[in-house]
């Protein structure tokens, strides 16, 4: 059984997908880009600010599902430019308690709305 996750605390889906899907014992969070959920617009700033906003959006979807960043078991980080990896990583490290989730980080040729970063996650439910 699967259930859609919807929250106004994260950007609304900009295509035919769900913000997240609960499929016990996991919640799958769709890739989040650095959109301000209140305005639907891309936030200002560089990779650090964009990573911070994308992770806040991930956290909002997970929390709406009854999970959290602390229960995250796997993330995938898509970067517009792999040269931003160290700066992204420094911000990312502050969001996950030990032990951090498994992760893949890849460079993408292009991301939605010309974002510098997109992050998806899989987390455990309570």
């Amino acid at each position: 059984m699967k259930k859609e996750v919807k929250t106004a605390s994260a950007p609304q889906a900009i295509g035919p997908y769900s913000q997240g899907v609960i499929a016990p014992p996991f919640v799958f969070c769709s890739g989040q880009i650095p959109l301000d959920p209140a305005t639907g617009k891309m936030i200002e700033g560089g990779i650090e600010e964009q990573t911070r906003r994308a992770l806040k959006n991930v956290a909002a979807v997970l929390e709406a599902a009854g999970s959290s960043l602390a229960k995250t078991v796997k993330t995938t980080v898509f970067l517009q430019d792999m040269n931003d990896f160290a700066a992204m990583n420094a911000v990312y490290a502050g969001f996950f308690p030990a032990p951090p989730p498994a992760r893949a980080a890849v460079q993408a040729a292009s991301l939605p709305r010309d974002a510098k970063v997109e992050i998806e996650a899989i987390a455990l439910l309570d």
Side-chain angles (χ1 to χ4, degrees):
M1 175 206 280
K2 70 179 184 176
K3 179 181 171 189
E4 182 179 24
V5 178
K6 287 183 112 176
T7 179
S9 297
Q12 299 306 300
I14 54 175
Y17 62 90
S18 300
Q19 289 172 309
V21 173
I22 295 171
F26 299 105
V27 58
F28 297 83
C29 178
S30 290
Q32 296 295 311
I33 60 175
L35 295 177
D36 179 333
T39 65
K41 296 185 188 279
M42 187 71 66
I43 61 139
E44 306 251 340
I47 189 64
E48 293 91 350
E49 293 83 6
Q50 288 203 11
T51 300
R52 194 169 292 108
R53 180 74 257 171
L55 285 167
K56 286 179 181 178
N57 293 342
V58 168
V61 173
L62 295 178
E63 289 165 12
S67 189
S68 68
L69 290 176
K71 295 178 182 177
T72 302
V73 295
K74 171 72 168 74
T75 64
T76 305
V77 177
F78 302 93
L79 293 167
Q80 187 181 70
D81 184 348
M82 196 54 84
N83 290 319
D84 288 335
F85 181 84
M88 174 281 299
N89 203 45
V91 172
Y92 178 100
F95 277 79
F96 293 98
R103 181 181 77 186
V106 297
Q107 182 171 320
S110 181
L111 293 172
R113 303 225 181 147
D114 204 30
K116 294 180 182 300
V117 63
E118 180 174 359
I119 302 172
E120 65 179 19
I122 302 168
L124 292 168
L125 293 168
D126 279 333

